[in-house]
Amino acid sequence: MSVRLRSATLDDLPHITAIYRDSVLNGTASYEITPPGEDEMAGRFRAIQEKAYPYIVAEDADGTFLGYAYASAFRTRPAYRWMVEDSIYLAPEARGRGIGRLLLNALIDSCQTLGFRQMIAVIGGAHPASVAVHRAAGFTEAGLLKGTGYKHGRWLDTMLMQKALGEGNTTDPDQSVYPGILFQE
């Protein structure tokens, strides 16, 4: 199967919104209960793009939208600016086909090139497939938070996983260039 990865655009929002809606209604990756509409998703998209974080989509050879991934701030306090959180959402028919792995690897490469030093995955429901994809990409478990959400009639745990990017925390970063200039006071 041929998969094309590219940067997301505002034109992708109907697909992004539909995939996220399915995830909210049927999955545990998001702890939202009510799916946001396209206007809210557009605002979220713009907020990520304004900070120059990567936002990637996957399509098949026919242009069918398969999923998307993006990086965003783990926390907005200035000292956290070297760490990003990844998010990956797939269309139901795209799951289990290696597309999540492709998106995650592209996101890691992009974030590393941009100068980020750590990536964290906050895996809702500690979903085994998400944990496995992250583990295969070199993430290690950083913690398990028990009973963090209640959705679909059950308590859910949240798995935290982390991966060092580039030189990680072994050297001081250059604070005068991106991402050092994010969240400047």
Side-chain angles (χ1 to χ4, degrees), residues 26-158:
N26 301 305
T28 60
S30 170
Y31 281 12
E32 287 194 77
I33 303 296
T34 304
E38 198 170 313
D39 287 344
E40 172 63 21
M41 293 297 286
R44 295 177 188 187
F45 179 83
R46 285 186 187 101
I48 290 166
Q49 284 203 319
E50 285 170 4
K51 295 289 187 185
Y53 293 111
Y55 206 125
I56 304 166
V57 301
E59 301 173 317
D60 70 11
D62 298 324
T64 301
F65 200 91
L66 302 171
Y68 65 97
Y70 61 87
S72 59
F74 172 65
R75 296 283 185 269
T76 56
R77 300 285 192 265
Y80 285 113
R81 66 190 176 272
W82 306 102
M83 178 185 277
V84 289
E85 178 179 342
D86 74 271
S87 296
I88 305 166
Y89 294 94
L90 300 175
E93 63 275 9
R95 295 178 190 143
R97 296 169 48 190
I99 296 160
R101 177 183 47 79
L102 291 173
L103 283 165
L104 179 57
N105 287 335
L107 199 61
I108 290 167
D109 290 346
S110 182
C111 288
Q112 189 165 282
T113 298
L114 287 169
F116 290 101
R117 296 293 189 96
Q118 302 287 332
M119 183 176 281
I120 190 162
V122 180
I123 302 173
H127 194 278
S130 293
V131 170
V133 165
H134 284 86
R135 187 172 285 122
F139 284 72
T140 58
E141 291 181 23
L144 180 68
L145 305 172
K146 303 288 242 164
T148 54
Y150 188 81
K151 189 173 179 183
H152 303 308
R154 68 184 197 274
W155 284 104
L156 301 169
D157 298 338
T158 299

Side-chain angles (χ1 to χ4, degrees), residues 2-14:
S2 175
V3 176
R4 182 175 85 115
L5 302 180
R6 61 171 175 78
S7 293
T9 69
L10 282 172
D11 291 339
D12 296 316
L13 281 172

